C-alpha cells in the first residue's frame, strides 16, 4: 500500500457507528460503479485504464516524447482544465515547480491555452524567440476557446519559423479518436495525433495521452506511474471501508459533509504539490459541485499558508475539514546550519534535518486544528515517486467517483461549465446568439 489513511485526527468528530451506518451507501456506490449502472456510466474508462490501455499508443507516446526531447528547447502544452492540469501536476510534483530552471537534458515545458491572457501569450512568444519549439495541443472537444486561440497563435509562429512542412513535424495533437474539427484538421494537415478515449472525461484523463505525452517529455517514467495506478486499482476492489482506505476516505467526506463541513482543504507540506492540489480541486469541484450540492474543494501548502489562511482555519467559521498529505520518506535531506552568534536563538536546531522540522510542524498543526474544531484526515504517502503518485492519482479518482455517487450526483458530467461560455460567445457576437446578446447587454447596463 503506497497510501495509508490515518483516522486518529477524526476522534471526537466521527463515531464508530457512523461508519457502520454509511457502509450500505458505500456498497451501493461500489455496485453502481463496478456494474456500470450509475449516472455517467459511459465515462468509466478511467477505472480500468491503468491495466487496459492501448499498448501501441503507449509505445508511440514514448517514442514521440523522445523525438520531442531531441528536436526542441521549448515544449508548449496547450490545453485547459482536465486537458492540462494532470500533466502539469505530475511534472511539478515529480520534477519541480522550477523544472524549467533546473539543469536537465529535457526541454523546458510551458503551458498555454489555460487562460485568456494577452500578457501570458505575449510572454510565451518572447520566450520562444531564438529557440526550437514543439507544441502539443490537447482538447477532447477541439472547440474550447482558450486552447483554440493559443493553438492559432503557436501554429502561426511555427509555420512562420519552420514553414508549413517543417511545422508539421513539431505539432502534436491529442484529441478525440474520430470526432471533432481538431481531429479532422490534424488529419488534413498530417499532424501526429494521440487519442482522448471516448469513455474518459477530461479530469480523469491524466493517465491517457493527455497527461502521458507531456509527462514523458519531462523525462518521467510513465511505466512506473501506470504501475502505481494499477496496483491501486487492485488494492481498492473490496467495498468494505474496514479494508478499503480509498472508500473510507469517500465515506468520511460524506459523513463530515452531512454535519455541515462543507469545505474540504487539501493540505500539502511540499511546494512541489501545489499543482497537484489544483488537479485535485478540479477533479472534486467539477465532479461533485452540481445540483446545488457538493463539498467546496480548497487547498493550501503549509507552512507557507499557515501564515495566510492559518488564522481562518484555526479560528474562523467551523464548516471546514482538512485532508493532509504527508510524504513519509523524503528524497532530499537538508541540515539546518549552526550560527556561532545564534542571532535568531535557533541553535537548538543546528544540524537537524529540515524534514524533521516539517514533520513536527505538521504534527503541531494537526493537533492545533483538531483542537480548533477542524476534523483532519491524514493520508500517509510512502514517498515521492512515480509509483506512489500513480497510486495516489487512482486513489483520488476512485474516491471521487464513489463520493459523487454517495452524494447523489453524476460525477462525470460538467454542465455548469457551459454557462460562462454561452454568455461570453453571445457578448462577443458569435453568430446565432443575437437575442441572448441583447438580453445580457441589458442586464449589464
Ligand atoms: O474535465 C473536463 O472535462 C474539463 O475540464 C475539460 O477537460 C476542459 O473543459 C477542456 O475541454 P477540452 O479538452 O474539450 O478542450
Amino acid at each position: 500500500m503506497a497510501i495509508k489513511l490515518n483516522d486518529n485526527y477524526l476522534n471526537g468528530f466521527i463515531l464508530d457507528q457512523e461508519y457502520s451506518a454509511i457502509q450500505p451507501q458505500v456498497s451501493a456506490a461500489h455496485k453502481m460503479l463496478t456494474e456500470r449502472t450509475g449516472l455517467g456510466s459511459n465515462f468509466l474508462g478511467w477505472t480500468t485504464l491503468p491495466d487496459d490501455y492501448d499498448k501501441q499508443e503507449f509505445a508511440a507516446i514514448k517514442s514521440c516524447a523522445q523525438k520531442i526531447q531531441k528536436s526542441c528547447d521549448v515544449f508548449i502544452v496547450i490545453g485547459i482544465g482536465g486537458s492540462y492540469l494532470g500533466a502539469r501536476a505530475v511534472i511539478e510534483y515529480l520534477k519541480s515547480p522550477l523544472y524549467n530552471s533546473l539543469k536537465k537534458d529535457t526541454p523546458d515545458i510551458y503551458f498555454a491555452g489555460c487562460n485568456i491572457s494577452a500578457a501570458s501569450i505575449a510572454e510565451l512568444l518572447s520566450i520562444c524567440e531564438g529557440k526550437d519549439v514543439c507544441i502539443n495541443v490537447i482538447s477532447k472537444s477541439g472547440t474550447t476557446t482558450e486552447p483554440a486561440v493559443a493553438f492559432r497563435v503557436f501554429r502561426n509562429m511555427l509555420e512562420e519559423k519552420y514553414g508549413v512542412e517543417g511545422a508539421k513535424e513539431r505539432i502534436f495533437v491529442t484529441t478525440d479518436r474520430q470526432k471533432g474539427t481538431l481531429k479532422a484538421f490534424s488529419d488534413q494537415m498530417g499532424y501526429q495525433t494521440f487519442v482522448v478515449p471516448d469513455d474518459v472525461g477530461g479530469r480523469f484523463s491524466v493517465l491517457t495521452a493527455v497527461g502521458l505525452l507531456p509527462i514523458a517529455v519531462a523525462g518521467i517514467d510513465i511505466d512506473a506511474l501506470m504501475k502505481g495506478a494499477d496496483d491501486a486499482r487492485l488494492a481498492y476492489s473490496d467495498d468494505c471501508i474496514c479494508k478499503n482506505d480509498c472508500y473510507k476516505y469517500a465515506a468520511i467526506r460524506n459523513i463530515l459533509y452531512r454535519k455541515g463541513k462543507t469545505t474540504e482543504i487539501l493540505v500539502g507540506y511540499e511546494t512541489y504539490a501545489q499543482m497537484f492540489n489544483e488537479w485535485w480541486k478540479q477533479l472534486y469541484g467539477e465532479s461533485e459541485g452540481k445540483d446545488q450540492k457538493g463539498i467546496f474543494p480548497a487547498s493550501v501548502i503549509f507552512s507557507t499558508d499557515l501564515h495566510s489562511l492559518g488564522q481562518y482555519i484555526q479560528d474562523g467559521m467551523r464548516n471546514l475539514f482538512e485532508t493532509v498529505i504527508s510524504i513519509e520518506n523524503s528524497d532530499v535531506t537538508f541540515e539546518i546550519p549552526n550560527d556561532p552568534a545564534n542571532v535568531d536563538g535557533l541553535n537548538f536546531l543546528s544540524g537537524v534535518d529540515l524534514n524533521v522540522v516539517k514533520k513536527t510542524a505538521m504534527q503541531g498543526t494537526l493537533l492545533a486544528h483538531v483542537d480548533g474544531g477542524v476534523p483532519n484526515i491524514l493520508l500517509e504517502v510512502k514517498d515521492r515517486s512515480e509509483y506512489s503518485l500513480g497510486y495516489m492519482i487512482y486513489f483520488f479518482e476512485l474516491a471521487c467517483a464513489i463520493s459523487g455517487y454517495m452524494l447523489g450526483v453524476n460525477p462525470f458530467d460538467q454542465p455548469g461549465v457551459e454557462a460562462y461560455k454561452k454568455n461570453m460567445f453571445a457578448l462577443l457576437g458569435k453568430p446565432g446568439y443575437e437575442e441572448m446578446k441583447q438580453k445580457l447587454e441589458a442586464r449589464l447596463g
Side-chain angles (χ1 to χ4, degrees):
M1 290 275 175
I3 300 181
K4 184 175 169 295
L5 190 155
N6 179 337
D7 61 7
N8 284 347
Y9 306 95
L10 294 167
N11 286 342
F13 297 105
I14 299 181
L15 302 170
D16 282 348
Q17 68 222 41
E18 292 180 87
Y19 289 115
S20 324
I22 207 160
Q23 179 63 56
Q25 293 167 48
V26 176
S27 301
H30 169 81
K31 199 163 183 283
M32 283 196 272
L33 193 73
T34 50
E35 294 180 5
R36 298 182 171 240
T37 52
L39 293 168
S41 59
N42 45 342
F43 284 100
L44 294 181
W46 59 271
T47 56
T48 49
L49 200 56
D51 172 47
D52 179 23
Y53 57 89
D54 181 339
K55 310 288 184 298
Q56 228 179 333
E57 183 170 79
F58 195 78
I61 289 170
K62 284 185 185 171
S63 78
C64 180
Q66 281 174 1
K67 177 178 164 185
I68 293 169
Q69 285 168 346
K70 282 189 200 120
S71 50
C72 69
D73 314 303
V74 172
F75 181 51
I76 309 266
V77 179
I78 298 172
I80 195 165
S83 289
Y84 95 104
L85 278 164
R88 186 159 177 192
V90 170
I91 293 167
E92 293 202 6
Y93 188 101
L94 292 172
K95 292 290 178 179
S96 165
L98 305 176
Y99 163 84
N100 287 341
S101 309
L102 299 177
K103 281 190 201 130
K104 59 187 184 309
D105 51 12
T106 49
D108 287 350
I109 300 179
Y110 292 93
F111 293 86
C114 45
N115 53 52
I116 310 180
S117 164
S120 168
I121 288 239
E123 258 167 35
L124 281 179
L125 281 173
S126 92
I127 285 169
C128 290
E129 276 170 29
K131 308 256 174 67
D132 275 320
V133 180
C134 288
I135 67 174
N136 177 202
V137 57
I138 307 168
S139 178
K140 185 170 185 178
S141 62
T143 54
T144 310
T145 312
E146 293 88 340
V149 169
F151 184 39
R152 284 186 179 205
V153 172
F154 289 98
R155 180 162 55 88
N156 285 348
M157 186 266 278
L158 290 179
E159 288 180 354
E160 272 168 31
K161 196 172 166 117
Y162 302 104
V164 175
E165 285 306 309
K168 274 184 198 172
E169 298 303 310
R170 295 175 174 275
I171 297 176
F172 304 90
V173 178
T174 308
T175 189
D176 193 89
R177 188 185 306 275
Q178 276 163 342
K179 297 189 297 277
T181 47
L182 188 55
K183 174 64 182 159
F185 180 67
S186 304
D187 288 347
Q188 181 198 323
M189 295 300 289
Y191 303 147
Q192 183 169 1
T193 58
F194 295 92
V195 173
V196 190
D198 278 347
D199 56 356
V200 180
R203 57 191 174 276
F204 289 85
S205 69
V206 55
L207 300 177
T208 69
V210 171
L212 294 177
L213 180 59
I215 291 168
V217 171
I220 290 166
D221 179 353
I222 58 174
D223 287 292
L225 195 71
M226 293 299 268
K227 171 81 175 121
D230 197 39
D231 283 356
R233 179 184 69 84
L234 296 169
Y236 299 129
S237 54
D238 195 309
D239 74 334
C240 182
I241 55 178
C242 57
K243 294 187 199 141
N244 187 328
D245 276 354
C246 175
Y247 285 14
K248 187 168 177 180
Y249 169 62
I252 292 168
R253 296 179 80 249
N254 277 271
I255 293 170
L256 294 173
Y257 176 64
R258 294 169 201 182
K259 292 181 179 200
K261 304 294 183 193
T262 54
T263 296
E264 177 178 14
I265 306 175
L266 189 70
V267 180
Y269 274 82
E270 293 288 354
T271 51
Y272 60 71
Q274 181 102 48
M275 284 308 297
F276 183 80
N277 287 357
E278 295 303 317
W279 171 82
W280 173 89
K281 282 196 282 199
Q282 192 224 357
L283 180 64
Y284 280 78
E286 225 168 67
S287 300
E288 289 191 320
K290 51 196 69 157
D291 308 338
Q292 287 77 57
K293 292 190 276 192
I295 297 170
F296 182 79
S299 71
V300 290
I301 296 292
F302 287 164
S303 66
T304 311
D305 293 325
L306 283 172
H307 297 259
S308 62
L309 292 173
Q311 169 62 36
Y312 190 104
I313 298 169
Q314 186 66 47
D315 241 359
M317 191 181 276
R318 301 297 72 189
N319 63 338
L320 313 172
F321 68 98
E322 290 174 291
T323 297
V324 179
I325 297 182
S326 168
I327 312 295
E328 294 299 288
N329 300 301
S330 181
D331 50 339
V332 185
T333 57
F334 197 91
E335 277 187 13
I336 297 175
N338 187 51
D339 173 13
N342 197 18
V343 176
D344 49 19
L346 289 178
N347 268 359
F348 72 101
L349 292 177
S350 298
V352 175
D353 177 9
L354 212 44
N355 290 300
V356 173
V357 181
K358 180 187 72 183
K359 183 95 183 176
T360 315
M362 187 187 80
Q363 289 165 334
T365 307
L366 277 164
L367 294 176
H369 288 182
V370 165
D371 290 345
V374 180
N376 267 252
I377 304 165
L378 178 59
L379 296 177
E380 294 165 345
V381 179
K382 196 165 146 241
D383 54 21
R384 179 194 189 188
S385 64
E386 280 92 341
Y387 178 88
S388 293
L389 182 56
Y391 204 102
M392 184 156 60
I393 286 169
Y394 196 86
F395 175 98
F396 279 124
E397 288 181 346
L398 182 58
C400 182
I402 294 293
S403 186
Y405 278 155
M406 290 173 74
L407 187 67
V409 298
N410 177 353
F412 307 112
D413 66 359
Q414 54 285 329
V417 181
E418 293 309 308
Y420 98 91
K421 291 187 195 168
K422 284 188 198 143
N423 286 353
M424 178 178 76
F425 287 144
L427 290 167
L428 285 169
K430 187 171 177 177
Y433 286 74
E434 293 77 8
E435 202 184 315
M436 190 170 168
K437 183 177 198 276
Q438 272 183 2
K439 284 186 188 157
L440 291 173
E441 283 179 341
R443 281 173 62 199
L444 286 171

